[in-house]
Amino acid sequence: MTPLTDQTTLNHPDASILQVTGLTVQYGKVAALDPTDLQVGKGQIVTVIGANGAGKSTLLNALMGALPPKGQSHGSILFQGQAVQGWDIEQRVGLGLTLVPERRELFASMSVHDNLLLGGFRLHRAGVRGWRDTLDDVYALFPRLHERAGQAAGTLSGGERQMLALGRALMARPSLLMLDEPSLGLAPRVVREIFQTISQLRSTGVSILLVEQNARAALHVADYGYVLETGAVVLQGDAASLANHPQVLESYLGLSGARQRT
Ligand code: ATP
């Protein structure tokens, strides 16, 4: 694969909800993430695209404070203006950070409805009034989940499970929703549906950090993008420009130079 070396910064917003500077991750002696800078503007959809093993999940887990015991991270993470590096997961969730992991981690034997209620548990425990109202918003966003409210999560289709994972995360009313490869293992039609929903979420004001191997779908919905290769950001820019960058076209969108010109 041709290494990407440009560091173009285009139209990056000033009002950031997340500002990451010099973030590194090591698994033992192995460096999984080189010093990385990244920003998410308020209300923006920002994507990080990259191949298998590029370090995408590592980045999200470091932001969430959810690295495995062997993983060590350093650097600055400013979320909503607060330095959260060193905070545990619960504290980060409390400040409005939520991660939908690649494995989706639903409670298979529990109903769709109960999985969603669990997503709102922290707000319930904190005595936040009206937390249950979010359920109506989630069901409005995912009518299919409403139809299947009583069904066990383990019996849902792959796409429905992804919807439930998204819906459950939204029940926590996050200000930054981090999605780890929501398209993984889904048929193209279902991928389109999930990405339409992600795009719709923009209107709710939630900011989104979307990690994806499906560069085409991710750059289509995102405002801004980063390309991660072997633990380093090698290219960044507004999503439309990245989608037309010759090296992204060739390495991530599978289009040769000849096809670009047609
Ligand atoms: P994929 O798209 O396949 O999920 P990714 O871009 O999310 O890949 P990561 O899972 O973050 O990549 O992995 C980045 C690197 O860190 C890889 O070389 C991987 O082998 C290594 N790595 C990930 N988790 C661990 C771990 N718990 N212990 C040791 N090395 C790890």
Side-chain angles (χ1 to χ4, degrees), residues 25-49:
V25 178
Q26 300 252 135
Y27 293 112
K29 289 193 176 131
V30 179
L33 194 66
D34 291 345
T36 294
D37 296 351
L38 178 144
Q39 279 183 63
V40 179
K42 285 202 174 113
Q44 262 199 332
I45 302 180
V46 171
T47 188
V48 176
I49 58 172

Side-chain angles (χ1 to χ4, degrees), residues 27 32 51-59 68 70 102 181 213:
Y27 293 112
N52 278 127
K56 305 182 299 298
S57 299
T58 295
L59 169 67
K70 217 168 76 172
E102 199 176 285
E181 297 214 32
Q213 274 194 60

Side-chain angles (χ1 to χ4, degrees), residues 130-206:
W131 69 274
R132 265 179 180 264
D133 299 347
T134 315
L135 200 56
D136 298 335
D137 301 336
V138 169
Y139 280 143
L141 196 61
F142 299 106
R144 194 105 55 92
L145 293 184
H146 198 206
E147 287 161 23
R148 287 161 175 69
Q151 195 172 320
T155 63
L156 296 174
S157 72
E160 288 161 357
R161 261 180 252 174
Q162 183 60 60
M163 288 174 197
L164 180 53
L166 268 169
R168 192 180 57 180
L170 290 170
M171 286 297 295
R173 296 188 187 162
S175 28
L176 178 62
L177 184 61
M178 302 197 291
L179 307 176
D180 195 349
E181 297 214 32
S183 77
L184 195 75
L186 302 181
R189 181 183 52 79
V190 185
V191 171
R192 275 196 296 279
E193 212 176 317
I194 293 289
F195 274 80
Q196 260 165 22
T197 309
I198 293 172
S199 192
Q200 253 175 285
L201 285 178
R202 192 194 294 276
S203 64
T204 68
V206 68

